[in-house]
Amino acid sequence: MKKILSFLLSIFLMISCSSEKLGRDKALKLLQENHESKSATYSIFISDPTYAKRMLDAGLESDGLLKVQRTQTLDDAGQLLITFSEKGQAYLVPQTEEDKKDNVQRVKIADEAIEEVTGIQTLGDGKKALVEYTTSYKNTTPFAKLSKLKLDGKENHKATFVLYDDGCRLEWEYSVLFN
C-alpha cells in the first residue's frame, strides 16, 4: 500500500510540474505583467546653448512645445535657456535631485511595448527557460525627432524565467540581443 501511495504521489507531482510548462502565451502574459511601462526618454540640458540650438533646429519652439531664450549676458551664464510650454510639459519625466542639480530635463519620446514571444528554450533540468521576445515603440511624441533611436522597427530581447514551487517567475529581464 505504501509503494502504491508513493507511486501515485510521484505521478501526481510529475503531472503538476508538467502543467507548469512555460508556453508562449504564458510567457507573454508574465512578461507583460513584469514589464513596467517603459518609456524611451531623451535628456535635455536646459541651460546648454548647444541643446537650445538643437531644440530650435528640430522645430520644437515653432511647434509650441518650448521656448528658447536666444540671448544671454555674462550675468545669465548657467541660467535656463529652455523652458517648456504647457503643451510640452505633458511629455516631461519627473526630475530627480541629480537632474535638477545638473539642469537636465528628460522628455518622453515613446512607449516601449512587448509585441510577441519568438522563442522559448528550456535550460538544464527544466527549471529555467530562456525566453526571446520582441518589443516595439508606440505613442511617439513630438520630441522623438531628437532621438537617434530607430522607433519604427522591432527589437529583440531575452529574459530568463525560473520555475519555483508556486509557478514561473521572471529572474532577469531586458537584455537586447544583437544580431
Side-chain angles (χ1 to χ4, degrees):
M1 183 69 155
K2 197 174 192 181
K3 286 184 180 184
I4 293 174
L5 284 175
S6 296
F7 178 71
L8 290 175
L9 181 62
S10 65
I11 289 175
F12 175 74
L13 287 173
M14 283 192 281
I15 291 170
S16 66
C17 287
S18 66
S19 69
E20 286 297 324
K21 184 173 175 161
L22 186 65
R24 287 184 186 223
D25 290 338
K26 186 172 184 175
L28 181 63
K29 183 180 178 216
L30 289 169
L31 281 167
Q32 288 171 336
E33 287 173 1
N34 289 289
H35 184 80
E36 297 172 15
S37 178
K38 292 191 187 294
S39 296
T41 61
Y42 183 84
S43 296
I44 300 173
F45 291 82
I46 52 183
S47 60
D48 186 332
T50 305
Y51 281 83
K53 182 171 178 354
R54 282 185 197 163
M55 301 306 115
L56 291 171
D57 291 345
L60 296 173
E61 186 178 55
S62 60
D63 290 346
L65 296 166
L66 49 83
K67 182 79 176 146
V68 175
Q69 182 182 337
R70 287 183 164 71
T71 59
Q72 192 176 44
T73 65
L74 285 176
D75 291 338
D76 295 336
Q79 297 299 313
L80 302 182
L81 293 173
I82 302 167
T83 54
F84 295 89
S85 68
E86 191 173 318
K87 184 178 174 183
Q89 288 179 4
Y91 306 108
L92 300 183
V93 175
Q95 284 181 304
T96 65
E97 288 303 315
E98 190 173 325
D99 288 346
K100 288 177 185 176
K101 184 180 80 171
D102 294 337
N103 285 334
V104 173
Q105 177 61 62
R106 289 179 293 123
V107 292
K108 177 180 160 182
I109 59 172
D111 291 323
E112 186 178 27
I114 296 175
E115 290 292 319
E116 67 178 326
V117 172
T118 56
I120 299 175
Q121 178 184 10
T122 305
L123 304 173
D125 60 357
K127 299 218 183 244
K128 278 191 175 187
L130 180 65
V131 176
E132 293 182 6
Y133 63 100
T134 59
T135 61
S136 66
Y137 291 100
K138 299 182 187 276
N139 305 323
T140 57
T141 73
F143 288 98
K145 47 182 122 172
L146 297 170
S147 175
K148 293 180 182 174
L149 285 176
K150 294 180 181 176
L151 300 173
D152 55 352
K154 291 185 179 182
E155 289 185 1
N156 296 316
H157 304 275
K158 64 181 178 179
T160 304
F161 286 86
V162 178
L163 179 62
Y164 288 90
D165 59 343
D166 62 346
C168 290
R169 290 189 216 157
L170 187 60
E171 181 179 77
W172 178 67
E173 184 187 349
Y174 209 72
S175 82
V176 177
L177 295 177
F178 295 98
N179 297 333

